[in-house]
């Protein structure tokens, strides 16, 4: 950086993403509080540790291979042709944008580098998305999964499968954007649908908690601590702001980049297409409002589902929240919430699926509905500023939803859970589930208390 | 072994990027980190199984944990 203006743009961008990472950390704090609030007393500590330990596991594997996958798989491989390199195979070396150039864990871009102020914070922003991905699955499986099994599943969704879908459909050079006209600005599909699908695949194999279904009838378990759940969801809302910010490029000359022959500085979405943070902020709040309004009605004022519906509303509108009118965001959020709520209870009754926190519904169903609605509302919009990309269509978005929820979500979740289950490594023993996962820890704490009390007398 | 940076003036003049210690040994750090990662899975898996076996052997009832709620 040898002049003040370029230095200002670069360091502002570096700081911008740095702040988004800090904000997104609140998502994880919220998820921890939320899960502990929903779980029963005898499982609190293990529930907390399950969600906490995904942080280091996903972080190191994201460093080892997750970030590399994001840059390597943009062509499928074999499903599209990169506009950078002209290749249709793995995107390994591509004029500074290849996996080996940006994501090789032994390469110069993956460390403090005085010539690169962006790679690290961009890596970190995506890592926080990865934590969220794993954390979404975490809530669904509480109180009966082995922590060691969940560690494997967290890495699979957090550092492999969501990364592949992001490479395909959440990258300016991704094949789904070019070929299908896939548009998913704030990740209805690439985070939420894929994780909802993955969670459902795991739940099918894992089975319900003991006592969840009595004579085939679902019973309500918890939440034990609604205040912790409330705080957790408010923190997730707050962190979601950071997530929305992290999905943008704050200062970008879209005119020069697209070859339009004009200078057009703007904020841009993940596809390098113009948007405004100002308008996106309105849409975020209006979709939150729509979700809360609809959730309060369909759930008859139940706080747990009302808060979750606020989240589901944002998730449903997220695919097109870079372009929608705020009133469209509100209505789309309401539609998504009604569908996801009804679908949650229908699936629970019909298939005996015990989704402890409603993660499959809030993230999976709302995400899928959001993609489908986006296909109709943005029908005919260009998916990119670059030449030759397919326009947004309902069938392109339907194909995208199937890929996200089914191919990269449900299928891997189901298969990996099946393998872990066949090795006896997926679910805790029945005796432990009945006694509580924290039984030994609680017993030890009680002994300590008694010993200290005796000494005090 | 000489430090990677011996003069910040030289770094700025030459446009040197990598400034961390032991540049060129990254692959060995990566191998070490992967061994630690995989070892962590093995250790935690074994310890979790042992913990479960202990609880199974004693088979406490669904309300027994309530006797162990502390009043610190």
């Amino acid at each position: 950086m040898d002049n003040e203006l370029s230095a200002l743009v670069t360091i502002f961008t570096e700081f911008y993403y740095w702040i988004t990472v800090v904000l997104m950390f609140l998502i994880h704090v919220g998820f921890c509080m939320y899960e502990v609030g929903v779980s029963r007393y005898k499982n609190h500590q293990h529930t907390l540790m399950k969600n906490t330990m995904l942080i280091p596991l996903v972080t190191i594997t994201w460093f080892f291979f997750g970030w590399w996958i994001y840059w390597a798989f943009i062509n499928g491989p074999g499903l599209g042709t990169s506009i950078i390199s002209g290749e249709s195979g793995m995107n390994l070396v591509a004029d500074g944008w290849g996996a080996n150039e940006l994501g090789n864990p032994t390469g110069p871009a993956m460390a403090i580098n005085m010539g690169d102020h962006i790679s690290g914070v961009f890596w970190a922003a995506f890592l926080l998305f990865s934590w969220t991905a794993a954390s979404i699955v975490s809530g669904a499986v509480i109180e009966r999964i082995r922590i060691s099994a969940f560690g494997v599943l967290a890495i699979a969704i957090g550092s492999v499968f969501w990364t592949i879908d992001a490479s395909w459909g959440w990258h300016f050079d991704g094949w789904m954007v070019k070929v299908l006209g896939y548009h998913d600005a704030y990740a209805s599909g690439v985070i939420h649908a894929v994780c909802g699908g993955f969670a459902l695949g795991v739940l099918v194999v894992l089975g319900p908690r003991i006592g969840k279904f009595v004579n085939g009838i679902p019973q309500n378990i918890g939440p034990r601590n609604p205040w912790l759940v409330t705080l957790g969801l408010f923190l997730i809302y707050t962190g979601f702001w950071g997530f929305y910010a992290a999905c943008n490029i704050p200062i970008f000359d879209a005119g020069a980049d697209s070859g339009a022959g004009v200078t057009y500085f703007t904020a841009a979405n993940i596809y390098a297409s113009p948007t405004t943070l100002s308008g996106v902020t309105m849409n975020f709040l209006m979709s939150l409002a729509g979700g809360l309004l609809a959730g309060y009605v369909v759930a008859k004022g139940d706080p747990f589902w009302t808060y979750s519906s606020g989240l589901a509303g944002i998730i449903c509108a997220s695919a097109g929240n870079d372009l929608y009118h705020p009133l469209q965001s509100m209505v789309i959020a309401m539609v998504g919430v009604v569908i996801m709520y009804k679908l949650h209870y229908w699936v629970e009754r019909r298939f005996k699926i015990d989704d402890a926190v409603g993660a499959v519904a809030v993230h999976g169903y709302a995400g899928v509905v959001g993609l489908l609605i986006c296909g109709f509302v943005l029908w005919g919009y260009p998916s990119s500023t670059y030449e030759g990309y397919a326009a947004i269509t309902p069938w392109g978005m339907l194909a995208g939803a199937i890929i996200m929820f089914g191919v990269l979500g449900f299928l891997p979740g189901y298969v990996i859970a099946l393998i872990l289950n066949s090795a006896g490594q997926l679910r805790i023993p029945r005796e432990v589930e009945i006694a509580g996962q924290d039984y030994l820890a609680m017993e030890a704490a009680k002994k300590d208390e008694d010993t200290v009390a005796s000494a005090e007398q | 072994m000489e430090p990677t940076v011996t003069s910040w003036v030289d770094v700025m003049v030459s446009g040197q990027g990598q400034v961390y210690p032991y540049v060129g040994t990254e692959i060995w750090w990566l191998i070490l980190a992967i061994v630690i990662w995989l070892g962590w899975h093995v250790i935690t898996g074994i310890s979790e199984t042992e913990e479960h076996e202990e609880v199974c052997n004693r088979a406490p009832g669904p309300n027994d944990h309530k006797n162990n709620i502390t009043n610190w």
Side-chain angles (χ1 to χ4, degrees):
Chain A
M1 291 184 287
D2 56 4
N3 70 77
E4 285 184 346
L5 195 57
S6 68
L8 192 63
V9 170
T10 300
I11 293 175
F12 172 78
T13 305
E14 181 182 27
F15 187 65
Y16 174 91
Y17 285 117
W18 189 85
I19 289 291
T20 67
V21 171
V22 177
L23 278 172
M24 284 193 286
F25 206 100
L26 293 176
I27 295 177
H28 213 83
V29 177
F31 269 123
C32 282
M33 295 174 79
Y34 178 50
E35 278 188 37
V36 171
V38 170
S39 69
R40 285 167 286 184
Y41 195 96
K42 59 186 177 181
N43 296 311
H44 279 351
Q45 294 179 44
H46 275 71
T47 300
L48 182 59
M49 282 300 97
K50 174 173 61 62
N51 202 334
T52 300
M53 291 316 296
L54 75 83
I55 293 176
L57 288 174
V58 173
T59 299
I60 60 175
T61 51
W62 185 251
F63 190 91
F64 295 157
F65 48 76
W67 191 226
W68 185 90
I69 289 173
Y70 178 70
W71 292 102
F73 282 68
I74 56 172
N75 299 322
L79 299 167
T81 303
S82 168
I83 60 170
I84 306 167
S85 66
E87 304 280 342
S88 59
M90 299 278 276
N91 188 55
L92 302 180
V93 180
D95 196 21
W97 295 94
N100 290 348
E101 294 157 317
L102 292 170
N104 177 354
T106 64
M110 292 286 277
I112 291 179
N113 187 323
M114 305 314 289
D116 178 3
H117 288 256
I118 302 300
S119 289
V121 280
F122 210 46
W123 172 87
F126 269 70
L127 167 65
L128 270 288
F129 303 156
S130 306
W131 290 3
T132 301
S135 209
I136 289 167
V137 179
S138 174
V141 298
I142 58 170
E143 301 193 315
R144 75 273 208 204
I145 198 166
R146 285 173 62 102
I147 291 181
S148 51
F150 179 73
V152 174
L153 292 162
I155 292 167
I157 186 65
S159 290
V160 180
F161 290 103
W162 106 264
T163 322
I164 294 173
D165 82 41
S167 185
W168 288 3
W170 216 42
H171 187 298
F172 67 90
D173 203 9
W175 76 267
M176 284 177 64
V177 186
K178 282 185 222 123
V179 177
L180 300 177
Y182 183 76
H183 183 84
D184 193 7
Y186 300 104
S188 292
V190 292
I191 287 280
H192 300 286
V194 73
C195 295
F198 192 91
L200 184 61
V202 175
L203 287 172
V204 168
V205 182
L206 182 65
R209 288 168 289 178
I210 295 169
K212 174 63 185 177
F213 295 95
V214 178
N215 299 322
I217 300 167
Q219 308 299 312
N220 188 32
I221 302 176
R224 174 182 168 83
N225 189 333
W227 312 121
L228 211 54
V229 170
T230 303
L231 282 172
L233 277 161
F234 267 123
L235 282 173
I236 294 172
Y237 291 169
T238 311
F240 216 154
W241 284 104
F243 178 92
Y244 257 56
C247 296
N248 295 299
I249 307 166
I251 300 178
F252 185 67
D253 185 357
D257 184 70
S258 64
V262 295
T263 299
Y264 194 93
F265 278 102
T266 178
N269 64 18
I270 198 88
Y271 307 113
S273 302
T275 187
T276 71
L277 298 178
S278 179
V280 169
T281 304
M282 296 167 79
N283 288 353
F284 180 95
L285 286 168
M286 289 297 277
S287 51
L288 170 65
L292 286 167
L293 287 168
Y296 187 81
V297 172
V298 291
K300 298 183 171 53
D302 174 80
F304 175 80
W305 273 108
T306 303
Y307 281 113
S308 293
S309 296
L311 198 57
I314 302 169
I315 289 165
C316 187
S318 284
N321 255 353
D322 59 327
L323 291 169
Y324 292 152
H325 187 280
L327 296 172
Q328 293 166 345
S329 290
M330 184 193 83
V331 173
I332 289 167
M334 297 178 87
V335 172
V337 163
V338 173
I339 293 173
M340 75 90 196
Y341 181 84
K342 299 287 182 190
L343 207 49
H344 170 80
Y345 283 108
W346 181 78
V347 170
E348 182 179 89
R349 285 192 305 272
R350 177 73 179 77
F351 298 102
K352 306 293 180 282
I353 297 294
D354 177 13
D355 177 5
V357 296
V360 178
V362 171
H363 299 275
Y365 306 151
V368 167
V369 172
L371 293 177
L372 299 180
I373 293 174
C374 179
F376 285 98
V377 178
L378 298 184
W379 195 343
Y381 273 69
S383 64
S384 169
T385 56
Y386 304 123
E387 290 294 321
Y389 279 47
I392 301 168
T393 60
W395 48 90
M397 294 301 287
L398 171 63
I402 292 168
I403 290 169
M404 296 295 163
F405 189 88
V407 177
L408 292 172
F410 182 89
L411 201 59
Y414 179 78
V415 170
I416 298 170
L418 212 56
I419 293 167
L420 288 166
N421 196 44
S422 64
Q425 295 297 312
L426 182 66
R427 187 164 179 145
I428 61 175
R430 178 182 172 81
E431 292 86 348
V432 177
E433 190 176 342
I434 289 170
Q437 291 172 292
D438 296 344
Y439 184 82
L440 294 179
M442 290 176 69
E443 186 182 58
K446 187 65 177 174
K447 280 181 183 164
D448 288 342
E449 184 185 58
D450 292 344
T451 306
V452 172
S454 300
E456 288 171 342
Q457 284 171 358
Chain B
M1 185 177 278
E2 185 154 329
T4 306
V5 176
T6 53
S7 159
W8 285 110
V9 173
D10 289 347
V11 169
M12 289 184 276
V13 170
S14 68
Q16 179 183 338
Q18 293 153 291
V19 293
Y20 51 85
Y22 313 120
V23 171
T25 62
E26 295 87 351
I27 187 68
W28 300 108
W29 292 98
L30 178 65
I31 291 168
L32 175 65
I34 289 173
V35 169
I36 291 170
W37 164 46
L38 296 175
W40 187 91
H41 283 283
V42 173
I43 291 167
T44 51
I46 291 170
S47 98
E48 189 174 27
T49 300
E50 287 172 354
E51 183 184 340
H52 289 165
E53 283 171 354
E54 187 178 343
V55 176
C56 288
N57 288 337
R58 293 161 56 183
N63 292 313
D64 287 356
H65 71 282
K66 292 175 183 170
N67 299 324
N68 292 329
I69 294 174
T70 55
N71 299 303
W72 288 106

